[in-house]
Amino acid sequence: QVQLVESGGGLVQAGGSLRLSCAASGIIFRVSTMGWFRQAPGKQRELVARITGGGMTNYADSVKGRFTISRDNAKNTVYLQMNSLKSEDTAVYYCNCIPLAGSWGQGTQVTVSS
């Protein structure tokens, strides 16, 4: 059974930074492509960054140059470093495997005040 536990969210001023963490279990983490997703109020959940087991990354245009996804296979953890945050980054952030695992974690709230 896949378990995903996100942490690290909070309230930050525009221009600030946060680092999110996601601890995964129940998967062969080192070979799994992992993604960070977000869902803002009234909007669909969207993929913002992904990282393959080999460390290749790609990003949504809206976060490119500001967010960095990374992973620590020894800790079964994926990270999202978010810099130069904007009010439009406000959302609940989730991680998941790609293809998606059958369930989502509780997410972590990121609120950026302008």
Side-chain angles (χ1 to χ4, degrees), residues 20-92:
L20 308 183
S21 300
C22 170
S25 60
I27 58 173
I28 304 175
F29 183 83
R30 69 183 186 280
V31 300
S32 298
T33 295
M34 299 297 296
W36 279 100
F37 301 76
R38 68 185 180 187
Q39 188 167 20
K43 295 189 177 181
Q44 288 191 328
R45 195 168 299 186
E46 62 173 345
L47 175 66
V48 296
R50 75 173 79 190
I51 184 167
T52 68
M56 293 182 63
T57 60
N58 55 30
Y59 300 90
D61 287 345
S62 58
V63 307
K64 204 170 292 184
R66 300 188 298 121
F67 290 11
T68 302
I69 188 171
S70 61
R71 64 192 298 154
D72 184 337
N73 289 339
K75 296 182 178 180
N76 283 13
T77 300
V78 61
Y79 304 98
L80 188 67
Q81 177 68 43
M82 306 187 295
N83 298 329
S84 303
L85 283 160
K86 305 176 181 180
S87 56
E88 51 263 45
D89 295 318
T90 295
V92 180

